[in-house]
Amino acid sequence: MSLAHTAAEYMLSDALLPDRRGPRLKGLRLELPLDRIVKFVAVGSPLLLMSLAFAQEFSSGSPISCFSPSNFSIRQAAYVDSSCWDSLVHHEQDRPGQDKMKSLWPHKALPYSLLALALLMYLPVLLWQYAAVPALSSDLLFIISELDKSYNRSIRLVQHMLKIRQKSSDPYVFWDELEKARKERYFEFPLLERYLACKQRSHSLVATYLLRNSLLLLFTSATYLYLGHFHLDVFFQEEFSCSIKAGLLSDETHVPSLITCRLTSLSIFRIVSLSSVAIYTILVPVIIYNLTRLCRWDKRLLSVYEMLPAFDLLSRKMLGCPINDLNVILLFLRANVSELISFSWLSVLCVLKDTTTQKHNIDTVVDFMTLLAGLEPSKPKHLTNPACDEHP
């Protein structure tokens, strides 16, 4: 009996989780994996395309090439290129004697518009960092700590029960006290469950998360409007007619009224425009999927932790409308499941509980570990009616 008792003690001691103190949970993920991907793509792609536009400008020199008259010197031709790039206005005759001007400024503003787009897409990230991350990190630290502590309390409770059973000379007294403790709910630690239930009535985190993704959709729509209204208007125009007869050159007869120029950077302009449309078109379904996850409960984590005493949010059907802070916290707990040491132990116990061939009344980790320690989870049948045994 002492050997079995020692083996049970070793088994329960190994099941205890190590006590983590000091600086802990440094790798806590405060962004969901898909949100992080959206952030890197939405902010990083404009910066990458901006570097491509600047690299083309520095490598090839002037982004336009004007066909100056043959009697122009090299300095005069360079002046024509510089003047036409500064104005970047296309002149065409609408009617005889009337010029119609069309600005081509999106070519000049391309790298700066990409920088503005990157800053705009980073605003939802800043909103989340300053409005939600402080409260979310404290919630996750408390909940992760309490989940692991609740598991350890259950294991220590089984160790205490095993010691009492070994010291008790009368098995009837031990089982009567055990059933009384279960009836009075002494084994339950409802602090965490009540805290999570209170989070169902809080909506600050979910409101910030909805606002973050809504802003991303809004800024993406604004990007489509900008590209469609300004870039599409000059997307297919490779050449334009430039006028340099202004100021001191307005009265010069040897200067032609219009000079044809070619946009050498048009290929980069097209690549940037098409890439931006393709990238943000791919991001839109991902952002919508992030929003739809708030419309349903992620019950996988809760189903595993149902084995803890007084953690029966699912079995008692305490979950209501999923659009609240609790659902957001559950999503982040799933993302930080590596920080939950008790999750792997409880997952194994859930599998063993479901595959056990013996029919025992196993509801919590206390019941299962009691069974593994060599104790019956409930009073044995031969102890239920002692009076009948004494008086057949």
Side-chain angles (χ1 to χ4, degrees), residues 318-334:
M318 297 176 62
L319 301 179
C321 177
I323 304 179
N324 51 52
D325 287 355
L326 177 59
N327 200 8
V328 177
I329 290 174
L330 291 178
L331 292 175
F332 279 91
L333 284 176
R334 286 289 302 176

Side-chain angles (χ1 to χ4, degrees), residues 152 162 208 248 278 291 308 318 329:
N152 271 351
L162 187 63
T208 308
L248 297 176
L291 290 174
L308 290 180
M318 297 176 62
I329 290 174

Side-chain angles (χ1 to χ4, degrees), residues 330-349:
L330 291 178
L331 292 175
F332 279 91
L333 284 176
R334 286 289 302 176
N336 291 278
V337 72
S338 59
E339 300 290 340
L340 282 167
I341 306 178
S342 57
F343 181 80
S344 57
W345 282 91
L346 290 175
S347 299
V348 172
L349 294 180

Side-chain angles (χ1 to χ4, degrees), residues 25-314:
L25 303 178
K26 292 183 179 180
L28 199 63
R29 296 179 179 89
L30 300 174
E31 275 188 313
L32 297 177
L34 284 180
D35 291 329
R36 182 171 297 183
I37 293 174
V38 169
K39 179 186 72 174
F40 286 143
V41 175
V43 178
S45 58
L47 297 177
L48 181 63
L49 295 174
M50 182 186 68
S51 64
L52 177 63
F54 276 126
Q56 190 272 341
E57 182 178 345
F58 293 147
S59 61
S60 62
S62 178
I64 64 173
S65 177
C66 296
F67 302 99
S68 303
S70 58
N71 59 348
F72 275 34
S73 65
I74 296 178
R75 289 187 176 181
Q76 288 174 328
Y79 170 77
V80 170
D81 289 350
S82 175
S83 177
C84 289
W85 175 248
D86 289 339
S87 61
L88 208 60
V89 175
H90 173 54
H91 295 262
E92 59 181 352
Q93 288 188 349
D94 189 16
R95 294 178 183 177
Q98 293 183 355
D99 287 345
K100 180 182 178 182
M101 292 186 297
K102 177 183 177 182
S103 178
L104 305 177
W105 66 268
H107 289 277
K108 188 186 296 186
L110 178 63
Y112 308 103
S113 62
L114 290 172
L115 178 60
L117 177 60
L119 294 176
L120 196 65
M121 289 297 179
Y122 194 67
L123 289 180
V125 180
L126 289 178
L127 172 69
W128 178 258
Q129 288 290 333
Y130 287 100
V133 164
L136 177 64
S137 60
S138 61
D139 287 337
L140 290 178
L141 287 174
F142 171 74
I143 293 172
I144 290 174
S145 176
E146 282 300 313
L147 286 174
D148 289 345
K149 287 179 181 178
S150 297
Y151 171 83
N152 271 351
R153 281 195 294 262
S154 300
I155 300 300
R156 291 192 179 99
L157 181 61
V158 178
Q159 288 179 328
H160 183 67
M161 291 168 55
L162 187 63
K163 292 179 181 179
I164 293 178
R165 179 66 182 88
Q166 292 295 324
K167 295 179 181 180
S168 177
S169 58
D170 190 355
Y172 300 103
V173 176
F174 170 75
W175 287 111
D176 288 341
E177 290 293 330
L178 184 59
E179 289 185 355
K180 180 182 178 181
R182 286 175 174 170
K183 184 178 180 181
E184 299 293 336
R185 303 170 69 91
Y186 292 158
F187 295 165
E188 300 184 0
F189 311 99
L191 173 63
L192 180 59
E193 182 185 277
R194 293 179 182 177
Y195 181 76
L196 294 179
C198 289
K199 284 299 175 180
Q200 291 192 83
R201 298 187 292 272
S202 176
H203 299 87
S204 58
L205 288 177
V206 71
T208 308
Y209 190 79
L210 288 172
L211 182 59
R212 171 183 178 171
N213 287 276
S214 300
L215 286 177
L216 285 174
L217 289 177
L218 178 63
F219 295 156
T220 303
S221 302
T223 303
Y224 286 146
L225 291 176
Y226 173 79
L227 293 174
H229 187 268
F230 296 106
H231 281 217
L232 189 61
D233 191 34
V234 298
F235 189 80
F236 299 100
Q237 186 163 353
E238 188 174 2
E239 295 182 352
F240 69 99
S241 298
C242 174
S243 175
I244 61 171
K245 296 193 69 173
L248 297 176
L249 299 178
S250 58
D251 297 330
E252 297 292 333
T253 58
H254 68 283
V255 176
S257 58
L258 294 177
I259 296 178
T260 302
C261 297
R262 182 175 177 270
L263 290 164
T264 58
S265 61
L266 183 62
S267 58
I268 297 297
F269 182 83
R270 289 175 176 175
I271 291 174
V272 168
S273 301
L274 293 176
S275 300
S276 300
V277 172
I279 289 171
Y280 288 106
T281 302
I282 295 174
L283 285 183
V284 167
V286 180
I287 298 173
I288 295 176
Y289 174 74
N290 287 340
L291 290 174
T292 57
R293 284 192 299 177
L294 297 177
C295 299
R296 63 183 185 276
W297 288 104
D298 186 2
K299 299 181 180 179
R300 291 172 294 176
L301 186 74
L302 288 178
S303 61
V304 172
Y305 279 94
E306 282 280 300
M307 290 199 68
L308 290 180
F311 198 87
D312 48 359
L313 293 173
L314 283 178

